[in-house]
Amino acid sequence: MKKVYLVAHNSLRQVLVDTLNEQGLLHIMNLREEIAETDWEPLLVDYQPDLGHLELLLSKVQFVLDFLADFEERKGGFLSGLIKEKVKVAWTSFNEIEDKIEFNNIYEECENLDNQLAHIRNEITRLKTLREDLLPWLPLDLNLSDLGETAQTVVLIGQVPTPEYADLQKELEENVAESDLTLVSQDFKDSNFLLIFLKRHSDQVYGILQKHGFRQVFFPALVKSPREEIERIEKECSQLEREKEGIIKKIRDLLYLKSDLWVLHDFLENKRRKAEIQANFANTREAFMIEGWVEAERLPEFQEKINQISEEIEVTFTDPMEGEQPPIVLKNKPIFRPFEVLTRLYGLPDYNEVDPTPYLAPFFFLFFGICLGDVGYGLMLALACWWMSKKLEVSENVKRFFHLLAYGGIASMIVGVPTGSYFCIDVASLPSFLKRLVLIDPVDDAQLFLFLSIALGIIHVCFGVTLQAVNNLKNQRITDVVFDQIPTFLFLPAVLLWLGCWLGEKMSKTPSPVFKYLYPKATWAVGLGILFVIFLQGRYLSNCCSLWREMCEGIKGEKLGKALRGFWGMVFSIFFLVSICGWVLTLLSGHTSSGVFFKLIGFAILVGLFSKSSRSALVRFASGLYNLYGMSGFITDFLSYARLMALGLATILIGWVINMLGRMLLGIPFLGIILMVLLLTVGHIFNFVINLLGAFVHPLRLQYVEFFKYFYFDGGRRFEPFKLQTRHLILKYD
């Protein structure tokens, strides 16, 4: 990466911004914030882009797009629902889109149609509600305009709860003889009735009605009988529905504009980004300055483009300063690029870290193949992902993900051949030429399969520790390599060798002479490994060196106390070191401890009491013991890889069960073959999908949790050059 500074007059601002946007090579930094904290701050002037008009226009375009989308016919299919439609457009057409369409006219037409449609929908809703209210009064053979009061009588309609109606009727008959109560309709909830009575009995009648929960019903705008009004409402609804269909047709006739509107939307968004990015410039009254990063190999191309604009643009390049963190670009060989998806999912590497992509790729490929582990499933996955990457208009990152899954399919095919898995058919049922290719049957040789899985884990973890050492060497952290990685490399092989010999002797009735020969040597190697871990990872030896320096400095400076502290501390450390070494090695040799070493330990502790410096040696020894205990974490890491065997077996065994059930269905007369095909199709798709998820997630976990923790910490910023960004377009450059 190269840091770039551009300085130019304000008259060149727009053409420079357009060129940088078109070129897409410069990752622009916020220079204004940096300068605002320096003595140059008084020279700066505020720059606030006027985005009001653009924001309003963008919101109008979005409204029209959303409005039209509601009337678009939806494409069926699973993939169509997941993948957004893209519009292909030429670069020239993209830049001329504002002149191509009369957007204000389109917006006004859509707004007008939307208002008309909303009015019709509201009116239909109102009429349907009114019709529902009139339905209980359908039997009423009376014009609704006749309801109300005359000079002597009152005519009204209303309702009471059905359980109250009989009591109401009885009470009116007993107390108001000059009244007429007619039941119009009734359901389990309400009773609807017509009531006529003399006006002079109003108080008495209303009093009785209120006792029984009376609710009066009004239809103020209606004149004719309920039946006639319902017929009128239905005719009006039909008319409104026809008008609605006419408006919808007009809206659908505008759908041909959708592609141009998406182009306009992305064009305006890009225009807004061009305005917003200028707030990061350091602006003065007459000039401006830009700071950014360019990929070193593309520097000549970048400079050539800038020079074509004007020779009056000052361009300066520098290397990153110490401690500076340039943005990160992952660059790998084409075969590894699909695996960059996994690195990005975790986080980009720090500028001083190694890119883990090429190192995780072979392991993820192999682990994925072991987990899915079937030739048929692998072929299905590879072909489906290859087809989707070729046919679907998706972003480059999505294509890389498809390629990654296609690699996984190939890995499954590669693993499936030596394990004899072809759609999980039993190995015994395979043709003879396929049987000859089988090297291991995961079901019959499950123990060997488990051993291989854990062996791969050991290799994977040790490779992670190796990369940790390489990373430390690259960053000149030599002491970390000496005191951390080297003891690990000495301890782990010794323990694995000892464990292998011990298992070989214990698990075999006639152990190989090789085990008998190597076992005592492996025991000594483990002892040495323990000592290396305690005294190197605990920084015990570095403490001896510092005590030696302290003693020398005390002698040179004629400071007797300092010299004595260093001397006693060093004597204590050496005695303690020799004592512990002897004690451990004596125990490992299988002989009885002579007691000499324990006397030495006692002497060392006695000496240590006279020196403060020796206490730090004890602390470091304890730290080394703690690090030795931490080595047990490797065991859990190794065992974690047993999941590879478990997932591989799960694929095969579930498939076996499906195949077995299919054979059982075949015995059913007539329908047997149809049911078998149906079961095999659905069952194997289920097995494929469920194990595909496991084959992706669990190898990914092994990379992130077991592998990355030794050498990879991420924390890098993504290189995001200022360039044209489109959400709905595929640009074709002229």
Side-chain angles (χ1 to χ4, degrees), residues 220-505:
L222 304 184
V223 177
K224 298 181 180 177
S225 67
R227 183 178 300 280
E228 291 171 320
E229 289 293 346
I230 288 173
E231 290 174 356
R232 179 186 63 79
I233 288 170
E234 288 176 346
K235 286 179 182 175
E236 285 188 21
C237 283
S238 299
Q239 177 62 28
L240 287 171
E241 289 289 348
R242 284 193 292 274
E243 290 179 17
K244 188 176 82 171
E245 290 303 318
I247 292 173
I248 290 173
K249 183 177 180 307
K250 287 181 182 177
I251 296 170
R252 286 182 174 153
D253 288 344
L254 295 175
L255 284 174
Y256 77 96
L257 292 167
K258 187 182 152 192
S259 299
D260 285 342
L261 289 169
W262 280 127
V263 177
L264 179 63
H265 182 273
D266 281 10
F267 176 83
L268 293 174
E269 279 207 332
N270 194 54
K271 203 171 176 179
R272 181 175 61 181
R273 277 193 289 272
K274 284 182 186 178
E276 288 173 339
I277 197 68
Q278 295 179 49
N280 293 336
F281 299 174
N283 297 285
T284 66
R285 289 173 54 191
E286 299 294 336
F288 63 97
M289 185 174 180
I290 305 173
E291 181 191 49
W293 295 95
V294 175
E295 295 175 69
E297 58 270 27
R298 303 196 70 178
L299 200 57
E301 181 188 349
F302 176 79
Q303 194 163 14
E304 184 184 351
K305 278 282 185 184
I306 299 301
N307 291 338
Q308 286 175 1
I309 300 171
S310 172
E311 293 181 354
E312 295 178 355
I313 299 175
E314 180 67 24
V315 186
T316 307
F317 305 101
T318 64
D319 290 322
M321 291 185 291
E322 188 175 353
E324 213 165 20
Q325 292 291 329
I328 302 298
V329 182
L330 297 181
K331 288 190 175 178
N332 292 288
K333 292 181 179 178
I335 193 170
F336 292 131
R337 282 176 194 161
F339 296 93
E340 290 177 358
V341 174
L342 307 179
T343 303
R344 289 198 178 93
L345 275 176
Y346 188 85
L348 291 170
D350 184 81
Y351 188 67
N352 296 314
E353 274 187 313
V354 295
D355 176 4
T357 306
Y359 307 111
L360 71 84
F363 289 102
F364 182 83
F365 179 82
L366 181 59
F367 294 168
F368 190 105
I370 292 173
C371 291
L372 194 56
D374 185 274
V375 176
Y377 293 167
L379 185 62
M380 284 168 53
L381 181 63
L383 289 177
C385 291
W386 174 81
W387 180 84
M388 287 191 288
S389 68
K390 294 292 180 187
K391 294 295 180 184
L392 300 180
E393 298 288 356
V394 291
S395 67
E396 188 59 31
N397 284 335
V398 177
K399 281 190 178 180
R400 286 185 181 183
F401 183 69
F402 286 145
H403 291 158
L404 178 68
L405 292 180
Y407 279 180
I410 295 169
S412 301
M413 294 167 66
I414 293 173
V415 173
V417 172
T419 56
S421 182
Y422 299 82
F423 286 108
C424 304
I425 297 171
D426 188 5
V427 175
S429 305
L430 293 175
S432 57
F433 72 96
L434 291 179
K435 284 183 186 175
R436 284 196 290 271
L437 299 174
V438 176
L439 301 177
I440 174 174
D441 187 337
V443 178
D444 292 341
D445 303 322
Q447 195 173 0
L448 178 60
F449 195 19
L450 175 63
F451 174 75
L452 289 174
S453 299
I454 294 178
L456 282 172
I458 293 170
I459 295 169
H460 197 212
V461 169
C462 290
F463 187 55
V465 178
T466 305
L467 290 175
Q468 186 183 24
V470 172
N471 218 8
N472 285 331
L473 288 174
K474 181 184 173 186
N475 293 292
Q476 299 181 346
R477 295 192 289 265
I478 308 298
T479 53
D480 287 349
V481 177
V482 172
F483 291 110
D484 288 334
Q485 280 82 62
I486 288 180
T488 303
F489 283 131
L490 292 172
F491 180 71
L492 279 183
V495 170
L496 293 172
L497 178 63
W498 180 85
L499 188 63
C501 293
W502 182 78
L503 289 173
E505 283 197 341

Side-chain angles (χ1 to χ4, degrees), residues 142-187:
L142 179 71
N143 285 338
L144 296 172
S145 60
D146 294 337
L147 299 176
E149 297 182 1
T150 64
Q152 299 297 326
T153 60
V154 176
V155 182
L156 59 81
I157 56 175
Q159 54 188 199
V160 294
T162 297
E164 296 287 332
Y165 182 75
D167 295 339
L168 172 67
Q169 188 177 27
K170 183 179 179 183
E171 197 166 348
L172 283 174
E173 287 174 356
E174 290 176 353
N175 299 298
V176 188
E178 295 170 323
S179 65
D180 179 64
L181 181 66
T182 306
L183 182 65
V184 178
S185 63
Q186 192 177 48
D187 57 21

Side-chain angles (χ1 to χ4, degrees), residues 67-85:
F67 176 66
L68 294 178
D70 290 340
F71 301 95
E72 193 176 17
E73 292 184 7
R74 306 288 180 193
K75 291 181 180 177
F78 176 71
L79 288 176
S80 299
L82 288 179
I83 299 171
K84 293 182 178 177
E85 183 183 353

Side-chain angles (χ1 to χ4, degrees), residues 527-732:
L528 288 171
I530 290 172
L531 294 175
F532 273 115
V533 171
I534 292 174
F535 294 112
L536 287 178
Q537 290 202 350
R539 300 293 200 272
Y540 189 91
L541 295 180
S542 68
N543 184 58
C544 290
C545 296
S546 64
L547 290 171
W548 172 264
R549 280 197 299 272
E550 184 180 350
M551 185 185 72
C552 293
E553 287 171 4
I555 294 170
K556 283 182 183 176
E558 297 181 354
K559 295 178 180 177
L560 184 59
K562 187 175 183 180
L564 281 175
R565 280 200 308 274
F567 174 74
W568 286 121
M570 189 175 63
V571 169
F572 165 78
S573 300
I574 292 171
F575 268 97
F576 197 72
L577 172 63
V578 171
S579 302
I580 295 298
C581 290
W583 182 70
V584 172
L585 296 177
T586 300
L587 287 180
L588 291 172
S589 67
H591 300 296
T592 306
S593 173
S594 64
V596 174
F597 299 109
F598 292 103
K599 293 174 184 175
L600 288 174
I601 292 172
F603 177 71
I605 293 173
L606 185 65
V607 172
L609 293 175
F610 293 96
S611 172
K612 290 182 179 178
S613 301
S614 60
R615 295 174 190 170
S616 65
L618 273 176
V619 172
R620 289 172 187 266
F621 177 75
S623 172
L625 283 177
Y626 181 75
N627 284 330
L628 181 63
Y629 169 73
M631 285 288 182
S632 62
F634 281 101
I635 297 173
T636 56
D637 290 349
F638 297 155
L639 292 178
S640 183
Y641 289 79
R643 72 188 63 219
L644 297 177
M645 180 212 68
L647 289 165
L649 274 180
T651 306
I652 294 172
L653 292 177
I654 294 173
W656 270 21
V657 173
I658 293 167
N659 291 338
M660 186 173 64
L661 292 174
R663 284 195 297 271
M664 292 169 67
L665 289 174
L666 190 59
I668 299 174
F670 307 112
L671 293 176
I673 188 161
I674 297 173
L675 292 175
M676 183 192 73
V677 171
L678 190 63
L679 175 71
L680 290 180
T681 304
V682 175
H684 279 293
I685 288 175
F686 168 78
N687 193 26
F688 168 72
V689 172
I690 200 74
N691 284 292
L692 174 61
L693 289 174
F696 184 81
V697 172
H698 287 279
L700 193 62
R701 182 203 176 278
L702 292 175
Q703 306 294 330
Y704 289 169
V705 179
E706 319 298 352
F707 185 52
F708 278 6
K709 70 179 180 183
Y710 294 106
F711 70 98
Y712 188 61
F713 300 98
D714 74 2
R717 285 181 304 155
R718 186 179 178 183
F719 179 72
E720 296 179 312
F722 173 58
K723 64 180 182 180
L724 173 64
Q725 296 178 17
T726 61
R727 285 193 299 167
H728 312 97
L729 309 180
I730 297 174
L731 279 175
K732 293 185 174 180

